[in-house]
Amino acid sequence: LARRSEAVLGGEGTERLEAALLQPYVYSHNFTDNTWEHFDTALGHPSGPNAFRVVGEFSWLASTRFDARARVAFERRGENVTDELGNVVRNVGGDMQIGRRVPFDDASKDFLDGDLETDLELGAAVTAHLSPVLWLEGDLSGRVPRSAPMDGAAAPRNTRRLQAGIVLRLNAF
């Protein structure tokens, strides 16, 4: 879903909203050697199976010399329940490389079942076009992950990330 509009502050704005809902076992079958991947890379959505993702973006072209962008992404994934050694204790369809193990796993699974992992990503960027060939860009982005194991055990420490950058681009070619 995307829309172009005139921003309240003047200039031109574009909004975009994207949502993806991926059911358990969507990339795998009853056999582990028959999955939708190529050299261990998913041939589908990067979130993988048993996931829900929403992304919202807004861009604003204030003038021919200045633009700004903002982005928010929320993702929730249901991962397989594993023990301390990494062995799958309960298969909820959260790993595309582990299909339904007949006769051990049920044919149908509840959406977002298992160990829940949640990510929130925020980002903003501005670009100043100093001349037709010289641009100054600045950006700030962050990610806040959160895990909630199904068995109620303490979640592992989450790694939060915040990064900023300034780039001077010479677009002479």
Side-chain angles (χ1 to χ4, degrees):
L1 175 66
R3 183 178 78 135
R4 297 190 71 142
S5 63
E6 294 296 319
V8 175
L9 303 173
E12 184 177 306
T14 304
E15 303 90 23
R16 186 175 73 91
L17 181 65
E18 173 185 313
L21 187 141
L22 298 115
Q23 293 292 331
Y25 300 130
V26 72
Y27 297 122
S28 59
H29 303 285
N30 289 338
F31 309 103
T32 35
D33 58 346
N34 191 10
T35 60
W36 294 92
E37 62 182 359
H38 182 68
F39 293 112
D40 293 331
T41 302
L43 294 177
H45 200 277
S47 295
N50 203 13
F52 174 71
R53 182 174 176 89
V54 176
V55 178
E57 292 181 347
F58 176 73
S59 64
W60 176 50
L61 182 62
S63 69
T64 57
R65 294 187 167 266
F66 179 78
D67 63 75
R69 296 167 304 284
R71 182 175 195 269
V72 175
F74 174 80
E75 180 176 334
R76 180 167 278 171
R77 294 177 305 281
E79 298 290 339
N80 291 338
V81 180
T82 58
D83 61 12
E84 300 82 30
L85 300 174
N87 300 320
V88 176
V89 175
R90 185 162 168 257
N91 187 3
V92 296
D95 186 349
M96 68 175 291
Q97 295 180 339
I98 302 175
R100 186 170 76 90
R101 301 170 300 180
V102 178
F104 306 111
D105 300 324
D106 296 333
S108 64
K109 294 292 179 184
D110 292 331
F111 181 63
L112 291 179
D113 197 7
D115 291 340
L116 285 181
E117 292 187 4
T118 305
D119 284 336
L120 176 64
E121 298 175 17
L122 303 169
V126 294
T127 303
H129 303 269
L130 305 175
S131 74
V133 297
L134 190 61
W135 302 352
L136 181 63
E137 297 179 350
D139 69 1
L140 179 67
S141 64
R143 179 173 177 256
V144 180
R146 190 176 330 149
S147 296
M150 189 174 173
D151 59 4
R157 286 201 73 172
N158 298 316
T159 305
R160 294 184 174 146
R161 182 188 77 208
L162 180 65
Q163 62 187 33
I166 296 177
V167 177
L168 184 62
R169 292 186 191 267
L170 178 61
N171 189 15
F173 299 103

